[in-house]
Amino acid sequence: MKEMFVTGVALDVRTNIPLVILNDNEREYTLPIWIGQAEAQAIARGLTGAETERPMTHDLMVDMIDSLEAEVDSVEINSYEDSTFFASLILIDKNGQQLAIDARPSDAISVALRMEASIFVSEKILEAVCDELEALHDCEEEIEPITDPEARKEFKEFLKDVKASDFSLDRSQGFDFE
């Protein structure tokens, strides 16, 4: 398992679908996970520490975990099937027993951000997704693979430094999920 951190939330300009971007500390891997609008907002609130007048779902989950005298040990993104990620929220109960709770990665990440828990991704998943992203070619626009080794290296360096703030998000137009 590779420890990752949330770089930010961005908008896929091809599909207008939000995504959360994870990076490892060495910036060897960048993992985009496409998510829904509500999940993107929840993760953004977790990143900024923004509070709402009433508890939102992930805040409620944190309150419940705290009330049970448990803690979130970590999040593990541990499976990837048919372009869908699966995760576990790893809890430690008040008796020190570890519990793995099945969760969508976006929900697990939202809770982890609020409880300052680590996020881990299976290295097999990182390799598989990197290979899949490199092989991506069946979109409306024709995407030519980068065959020049120097250009490929330069592009990978660019991805290591990409931040959510590099993308603009015009919320006035809403999101189109068609």
Side-chain angles (χ1 to χ4, degrees), residues 88-113:
S88 294
L89 194 58
I90 309 301
L91 303 179
I92 306 294
D93 71 14
K94 65 181 177 182
N95 299 319
Q97 186 131 354
Q98 183 174 322
L99 307 164
I101 311 292
D102 182 36
R104 296 183 306 173
S106 56
D107 293 329
I109 289 168
S110 284
V111 171
L113 289 170

Side-chain angles (χ1 to χ4, degrees), residues 48-128:
T48 62
E51 294 185 18
T52 56
E53 188 174 318
R54 299 285 300 141
M56 301 299 284
T57 303
H58 301 97
D59 303 315
L60 177 63
M61 290 173 66
V62 167
D63 290 345
M64 290 171 59
I65 292 166
D66 283 341
S67 294
L68 295 169
E69 298 177 34
E71 62 184 59
V72 176
D73 180 61
S74 61
V75 165
E76 294 179 358
I77 299 174
N78 47 27
S79 184
Y80 180 68
E81 299 171 26
D82 299 322
S83 299
T84 301
F85 293 93
F86 296 84
S88 294
L89 194 58
I90 309 301
L91 303 179
I92 306 294
D93 71 14
K94 65 181 177 182
N95 299 319
Q97 186 131 354
Q98 183 174 322
L99 307 164
I101 311 292
D102 182 36
R104 296 183 306 173
S106 56
D107 293 329
I109 289 168
S110 284
V111 171
L113 289 170
R114 286 163 174 75
M115 299 197 80
E116 299 179 5
S118 297
I119 300 168
F120 295 94
V121 179
S122 160
E123 290 190 42
K124 285 183 181 179
I125 291 173
L126 290 170
E127 294 295 334

